[in-house]
Amino acid sequence: MKIKHPLKCTALLCLTLFCAQPLWAQHSNLRKGAQELLSSQPLNQAHVGICIYDPAKQEYWYRYQDNKYFTPASNTKIFTLFTGLQMLGDSLPALKYLETDSVLYVKGMGDPSFLHPDYISQPAMDLLTRTDKRIVLVPGVIVNKRFGPGWSWSDYADYYQPELNEWPVYGNVARIKHHRDTISITPPAFSYGGHFSWRVNDTLSEALTERDERSNTFSLQYAKRDTALLLAEVPYITGTLQDLAQRLQDTLHKPVTVAEQMPAVNAKAFTTLYSRPVDSLFTPMMHRSDNFFAEQTLMMSSARKWDTISTPKVIDYVKQQYLQNLPDKPEWVDGSGLSRYNLFSPRDFVSVLTIMHKQYPEERLWAIFPTGGKGTLRNYYKEQFVHAKTGTLSGCVALSGYLVTKKGKTLVFSVLVNNHNGTSTAVRRAVERFLTEVRNNN
């Protein structure tokens, strides 16, 4: 079948994908390896789902409980990546702005790269720095709360759970640095006014950073013997739009205020400023499983489509517009997979991965997805035949993506494991042995 327009073929591809018949008899070695995996000590009491699919021949190679629902952890980011690829075009929307004779009105669009240390180029900062007009923040329409549904409240100070907002600054984390006699914190505003304190505690085996639950008050404890470089990220409370204006003012060293009411112009009069290519965000999002980048990807997609930031709205839109023929209706609530409310089946992941493989070149996908020895797969799959996304929560281990066999055939797979009672490493090693056999025998 010749495809003229990839987005128009999504529904047809899904239907074709899940009407295909498995070739059980031709893959006895694969079935034997799967049985060994399922009976292995790390998995024999777990809830396991496996789906392996050949997109070239539209044939299943193996299916085990692939229609069952699982908590997918960070495999949710595969759906987030799909959303970003479909809705963000080739560049990230940094902000919307409108210039009058005396005022520069600006409105955030959720771009997480603003003043993030991973990115040297800062088009939004350049715009704000070079203007000689008054800078006025225009409130955006934002439905999201600072945390996603089903997130753990007690993780508020952990690096992997920054707050979500319409205009992130510094990745919405304070960065605490300690090396010998040098101690510092950024953003600089936290270095004064009683926001940051430190003390020596020789009873500690490693340095400890903390933040007060309800305020931006940070602390560092360390032992005198600590000489190694410490770089810790601690999420800060983003607060109101007025707090954002103050952070921008502290950074720009010039006044930034909040509009009391919207300027009397059509919303279309605002111009969108773009910051950087989308893959410069998607790649670290997938390689290091960056929860913050994932959540803000959905928020940017919503802001670009409707000028409203709503993760539920963009999820519903993607399911209805692009994924209406998924084999199983997922319970999809966030972008990162931090939520225990998410429920997906293995064949849901195989479906979305197959659509992406049809629409985008392997070269691009292989760069975005982690492979052996890199990112979250740095200790696994050294022969680099897997390009896949990991997922880990307590009792949950997931791996979904692409596998290239020794004969050069690309397979799409998903292995989801829930309720295991061993270590995540043991589960991952067992899955690695299984997928290595699939690669070597085909």
Side-chain angles (χ1 to χ4, degrees):
M1 180 176 65
K2 184 176 181 181
I3 304 297
K4 294 183 178 180
H5 195 294
L7 292 182
K8 293 181 180 178
C9 77
T10 299
L12 180 58
L13 178 59
C14 282
L15 288 171
T16 304
L17 172 58
F18 291 100
C19 289
Q21 296 298 314
L23 300 182
W24 304 102
Q26 296 183 24
H27 299 292
S28 57
N29 288 336
L30 193 157
R31 295 201 309 278
K32 179 181 177 182
Q35 289 304 312
E36 291 176 355
L37 171 67
L38 294 169
S39 61
S40 64
Q41 191 280 326
L43 282 79
N44 59 6
Q45 291 182 292
H47 178 41
V48 184
I50 304 171
C51 186
I52 300 178
Y53 180 76
D54 179 351
K57 293 187 176 181
Q58 299 182 16
E59 297 170 348
Y60 288 106
W61 282 24
Y62 185 78
R63 303 173 71 179
Y64 177 78
Q65 297 196 140
D66 67 335
N67 65 329
K68 303 298 185 183
Y69 285 101
F70 294 79
T71 299
S74 283
N75 269 204
T76 306
K77 292 183 177 73
I78 293 172
F79 275 68
T80 299
L81 173 65
F82 176 79
T83 301
L85 288 169
Q86 300 291 347
M87 298 188 66
L88 287 179
D90 59 6
S91 300
L92 303 180
L95 53 82
K96 289 190 174 182
Y97 68 95
L98 172 66
E99 290 190 85
T100 68
D101 292 341
S102 59
V103 179
L104 174 64
Y105 292 100
V106 287
K107 178 163 58 173
M109 298 185 70
D111 182 4
S113 70
F114 181 72
L115 296 184
H116 194 290
D118 284 2
Y119 302 100
I120 297 174
S121 173
Q122 292 288 333
M125 186 63 175
D126 293 341
L127 172 67
L128 300 175
T129 300
R130 67 173 178 260
T131 187
D132 57 359
K133 300 174 181 178
R134 280 196 307 121
I135 299 174
V136 178
L137 299 186
V138 176
V141 178
I142 180 165
V143 175
N144 287 36
K145 300 183 182 299
R146 62 191 182 112
F147 292 139
W151 288 13
S152 175
W153 70 267
S154 58
D155 293 347
Y156 69 88
D158 290 323
Y159 74 93
Y160 52 79
Q161 192 170 294
E163 292 187 6
L164 313 177
N165 69 336
E166 64 194 271
W167 193 328
V169 184
Y170 299 104
N172 284 355
V173 297
R175 291 173 173 81
I176 297 173
K177 178 180 179 181
H178 171 233
H179 188 220
R180 300 184 186 278
D181 295 329
T182 301
I183 298 175
S184 63
I185 186 171
T186 57
F190 292 143
S191 63
Y192 55 84
H195 287 291
F196 182 43
S197 62
W198 61 89
R199 67 184 179 91
V200 174
N201 184 348
D202 286 328
T203 67
L204 296 175
S205 58
E206 60 182 19
L208 175 66
T209 57
E210 294 181 302
R211 196 206 82 204
D212 180 72
E213 181 186 343
R214 293 180 172 86
S215 68
N216 284 322
T217 305
F218 304 86
S219 65
L220 165 68
Q221 297 182 53
Y222 64 95
K224 283 184 178 180
R225 62 182 175 277
D226 289 343
T227 58
L229 174 65
L230 168 72
L231 291 172
E233 295 184 349
V234 183
Y236 62 76
I237 297 172
T238 56
T240 65
L241 195 62
Q242 189 62 55
D243 295 318
L244 169 62
Q246 185 62 52
R247 279 193 291 276
L248 290 175
Q249 182 169 291
D250 292 341
T251 301
L252 294 166
H253 304 293
K254 55 184 174 182
V256 179
T257 59
V258 177
E260 295 182 359
Q261 59 184 15
M262 284 286 291
V265 296
N266 190 305
K268 293 182 179 179
F270 280 77
T271 299
T272 300
L273 175 70
Y274 293 90
S275 61
R276 65 198 71 259
V278 292
D279 287 7
S280 69
L281 187 83
F282 294 159
T283 300
M285 177 183 83
M286 300 296 279
H287 278 232
R288 66 180 182 231
S289 200
D290 194 302
N291 297 323
F292 184 60
F293 284 4
E295 297 297 340
Q296 298 289 147
T297 292
L298 294 188
M299 293 168 69
M300 284 187 292
S301 298
S302 178
R304 188 172 187 268
K305 178 68 176 177
W306 299 288
D307 199 26
T308 298
I309 297 178
S310 171
T311 291
K313 186 173 183 177
V314 78
I315 286 175
D316 286 345
Y317 177 80
V318 170
K319 288 194 296 185
Q320 294 173 17
Q321 186 71 20
Y322 303 114
L323 302 175
Q324 67 270 38
N325 291 302
L326 281 177
D328 305 297
K329 183 180 178 181
E331 186 67 23
W332 176 18
V333 303
D334 71 3
S336 63
L338 281 172
S339 178
R340 293 278 183 169
Y341 297 165
N342 290 309
L343 290 172
F344 292 80
S345 69
R347 61 184 187 177
D348 279 341
F349 285 111
V350 166
S351 175
V352 170
L353 287 161
T354 300
I355 294 169
M356 286 196 289
H357 187 258
K358 191 77 173 178
Q359 293 182 3
Y360 304 102
E362 285 187 351
E363 181 181 8
R364 184 181 184 188
L365 294 176
W366 284 194
I368 293 174
F369 278 82
T371 189
K374 298 181 180 180
T376 54
L377 291 178
R378 59 187 174 276
N379 297 318
Y380 302 87
Y381 304 98
K382 297 296 186 180
E383 294 177 306
Q384 298 188 336
F385 61 91
V386 158
H387 307 271
K389 182 71 197 75
T390 57
T392 308
L393 286 172
S394 177
C396 303
V397 171
L399 187 70
S400 302
Y402 308 99
L403 183 154
V404 181
T405 71
K406 272 196 169 181
K407 295 180 181 179
K409 183 180 293 292
T410 297
L411 304 177
V412 185
F413 74 91
S414 179
V415 181
L416 306 183
V417 180
N418 281 187
N419 303 327
H420 70 85
N421 61 355
T423 67
S424 296
T425 298
V427 174
R428 292 199 186 285
R429 289 300 180 197
V431 174
E432 180 184 33
R433 289 191 292 272
F434 168 61
L435 293 178
T436 300
E437 289 183 9
V438 174
R439 180 250 184 183
N440 291 339
N441 293 328
N442 295 280

